[in-house]
């Protein structure tokens, strides 16, 4: 699907953003025209209930060759919408951004320059971030967790969706069919050269954030359970700790009852100790079974185990390109 001459695809997920769309379109088209390259702006309507879909289709009609409308049948979530946009994209480089103008389209050129320099993934750091304290705090937690899950392949800011990807990385993301994808993290696992640039950040001018506390917790939970078996291991560890505590407790009771016959309330304390040992054992077993289920889960999501970036010296290859 990659066209020979299209250099840049800009993918924007849209969910109930009718107030932002006119300005978004006008500013994104103006900023992209200035880049002096071939580009397409792919707007993905993620099942909006307002007039976003109409506005997007209208923009595609009025700007042929520049704006592409992708309409999803229902609300599948931001990352699913971005994936749909990636699938339709045909540029050599892809930049994703939000529709609420918190990421100024005028910053796209910074990312494009880095992509042209050969970086696979270009992240962005929000210069004095314009969000509520709660949003910043939640974001800090997600950033920290993602950094841990990425095994040290670190980026400062995973939350900012103004990001750039090279075609091989986009293709790799598209080969991952698992649900609950977190694209910045997935991209990170396939990238060789990553870099972050500082970009401006504005307050949401219209509409409301689509992420409430519950959605943020769900996202965090999805991330954790979707990418690692760490929580299951914690259950196993807790189980072993409780069992060890039970054994020590039992020993203490035994020693104390030898010193003083009345100590230990006629064996009731000993029952507690036995209870601890069994509870610990059950927890450890639960974690262990969970670990196997986790392995099945990792295998069934069928993520490719490797991704060939390119092959040199072979004439009839088409890997690295769709
Ligand atoms: N979005 C989406 N589907 C959703 C939720 C959000 O396509 O189910 C889009 C939304 O229209 C916006 C982007 O994802 O373009 C980021 O959403 P938002 O600005 O509400 O997130 P925040 O900036 O509060 O993290
Ligand atoms: Mg936003």
């Amino acid at each position: 699907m990659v066209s020979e001459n299209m250099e840049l695809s800009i993918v924007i997920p849209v969910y109930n953003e009718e107030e932002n769309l006119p300005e978004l379109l006008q500013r994104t088209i103006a900023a992209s025209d200035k880049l002096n390259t071939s580009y397409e702006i792919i707007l993905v309507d993620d099942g909006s209930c307002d007039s976003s879909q109409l506005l997007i289709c209208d923009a595609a009609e009025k700007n042929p060759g520049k704006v592409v409308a992708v309409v999803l049948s229902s609300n599948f979530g931001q990352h699913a919408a971005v994936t749909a946009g990636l699938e339709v994209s045909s540029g050599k480089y892809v930049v994703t951004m939000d529709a609420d103008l918190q990421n100024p389209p005028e910053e796209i050129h910074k990312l494009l320059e880095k992509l042209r320099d050969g970086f696979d993934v270009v992240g962005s750091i929000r210069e004095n971030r314009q969000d509520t304290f709660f949003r910043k705090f939640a974001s800090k937690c997600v950033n920290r967790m993602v950094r841990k899950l990425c095994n040290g392949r670190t980026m400062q800011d995973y939350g900012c969706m103004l990001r750039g990807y090279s075609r091989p990385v986009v293709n790799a993301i598209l080969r991952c069919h698992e649900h609950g994808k977190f694209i910045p993290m997935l991209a990170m696992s396939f990238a060789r050269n990553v870099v972050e640039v500082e970009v401006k950040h504005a307050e949401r001018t219209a509409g409301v954030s689509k992420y409430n506390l519950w959605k943020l917790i769900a996202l965090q939970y999805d991330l954790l359970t979707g990418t690692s078996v760490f929580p299951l291991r914690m259950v196993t560890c807790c189980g072993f700790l409780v069992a060890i505590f039970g054994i020590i407790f039992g020993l203490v009771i035994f020693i104390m009852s030898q010193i003083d016959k009345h100590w230990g309330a006629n064996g009731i304390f000993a029952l507690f100790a036995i209870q601890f040992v069994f509870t610990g054992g059950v927890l450890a077993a639960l974690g262990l079974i969970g670990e196997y289920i986790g392995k099945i889960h990792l295998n069934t999501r069928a993520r490719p185990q490797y991704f060939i970036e390119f092959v040199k010296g072979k004439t009839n290859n088409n890997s690295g390109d769709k």
Side-chain angles (χ1 to χ4, degrees), residues 251-317:
L251 282 176
V252 171
I253 292 168
F254 177 73
I255 295 165
M256 291 302 281
S257 57
Q258 293 307 307
I259 298 167
D260 175 0
K261 284 275 175 245
H262 302 291
W263 205 89
N266 294 326
I268 291 178
F269 276 18
L271 273 181
F272 277 121
I274 293 166
Q275 178 69 30
F276 275 127
V277 175
F278 277 107
T279 310
V282 168
L283 269 181
L286 214 61
L288 208 65
I289 295 169
E291 187 97 16
Y292 283 108
I293 296 174
K295 295 270 167 12
I296 297 171
H297 158 73
L298 291 180
N299 282 317
T300 48
R301 69 181 181 174
R303 191 187 278 194
Q305 284 180 30
Y306 58 86
F307 185 77
I308 301 172
E309 201 175 313
F310 57 82
V311 180
K312 245 190 175 151
K314 188 171 159 63
T315 44
N316 62 340
N317 90 83

Side-chain angles (χ1 to χ4, degrees), residues 126 129 131-147 155-161 182 201 216 219-220 223:
R126 292 167 273 198
R129 190 175 165 186
D131 268 324
T132 58
F133 170 77
F134 162 69
R135 260 333 245 107
K136 285 189 203 165
F137 176 73
S139 207
K140 226 178 212 168
C141 296
V142 174
N143 278 333
R144 180 168 290 191
M145 194 175 81
V146 173
R147 245 176 278 159
M155 273 211 176
Q156 258 190 52
D157 194 351
Y158 274 96
C160 186
M161 285 307 284
F182 184 61
H201 193 242
L216 280 172
L219 180 74
Q220 182 111 338
L223 259 183

Side-chain angles (χ1 to χ4, degrees), residues 28-289:
T28 314
I29 293 174
S32 310
D33 279 340
K34 274 199 203 140
L35 297 172
N36 280 327
T37 184
S38 49
Y39 72 89
E40 59 179 357
I41 300 167
I42 301 173
L43 293 156
V44 187
D45 175 48
D46 186 19
S48 303
C49 342
D50 63 1
S51 62
S52 298
Q53 182 188 331
L54 275 177
L55 290 170
I56 290 173
C57 293
D58 192 43
E61 255 170 47
K62 286 192 182 135
N63 302 280
K66 286 187 179 177
V67 176
V68 179
V70 177
V71 179
L72 303 186
S73 58
S74 150
N75 179 234
F76 293 102
Q78 181 184 356
H79 292 271
V82 173
T83 313
L86 293 181
E87 194 173 323
V88 174
S89 72
S90 46
K92 189 176 170 199
Y93 306 119
V94 179
V95 165
T96 60
M97 60 182 255
D98 288 350
D100 56 2
L101 289 164
Q102 287 195 274
N103 313 130
E106 292 77 21
E107 302 284 69
I108 291 174
H109 73 97
K110 289 188 188 167
L111 282 84
L112 182 63
E113 274 157 28
K114 291 287 175 200
L115 287 166
R116 282 178 179 156
D117 286 346
F119 289 100
D120 294 318
V121 171
V122 184
S124 55
I125 306 169
R126 292 167 273 198
E127 268 171 24
N128 75 67
R129 190 175 165 186
Q130 302 294 318
D131 268 324
T132 58
F133 170 77
F134 162 69
R135 260 333 245 107
K136 285 189 203 165
F137 176 73
S139 207
K140 226 178 212 168
C141 296
V142 174
N143 278 333
R144 180 168 290 191
M145 194 175 81
V146 173
R147 245 176 278 159
K148 281 237 156 74
L149 292 176
C150 278
N151 297 331
R153 302 199 69 185
T154 55
M155 273 211 176
Q156 258 190 52
D157 194 351
Y158 274 96
C160 186
M161 285 307 284
L162 182 61
R163 309 179 86 81
Y165 306 110
S166 67
R167 177 52 54 182
V169 168
V170 171
N171 287 346
I173 295 171
L174 288 174
R175 278 178 59 186
C176 301
H177 300 293
E178 70 228 46
H179 284 247
K181 275 185 229 173
F182 184 61
I183 291 173
M185 202 169 128
L186 203 52
M188 202 57 185
S189 59
F190 293 117
R192 181 189 296 273
N193 307 312
V194 295
V195 69
E196 278 180 298
V197 290
E198 286 218 341
V199 294
K200 292 204 177 64
H201 193 242
E203 252 177 274
R204 209 179 219 285
T205 42
V208 287
S209 169
K210 309 299 177 297
Y211 288 95
N212 53 26
L213 177 65
W214 174 244
K215 261 195 154 182
L216 280 172
I217 292 174
L219 180 74
Q220 182 111 338
Y221 198 70
D222 255 7
L223 259 183
L224 193 64
T225 53
T227 48
S228 94
V229 287
F230 175 74
L232 295 171
R233 264 188 208 153
M234 286 312 289
V235 175
T236 316
C237 287
C238 282
F240 278 118
L241 284 179
V242 173
I244 290 167
F245 174 75
I247 292 168
I248 296 171
F249 191 40
L251 282 176
V252 171
I253 292 168
F254 177 73
I255 295 165
M256 291 302 281
S257 57
Q258 293 307 307
I259 298 167
D260 175 0
K261 284 275 175 245
H262 302 291
W263 205 89
N266 294 326
I268 291 178
F269 276 18
L271 273 181
F272 277 121
I274 293 166
Q275 178 69 30
F276 275 127
V277 175
F278 277 107
T279 310
V282 168
L283 269 181
L286 214 61
L288 208 65
I289 295 169

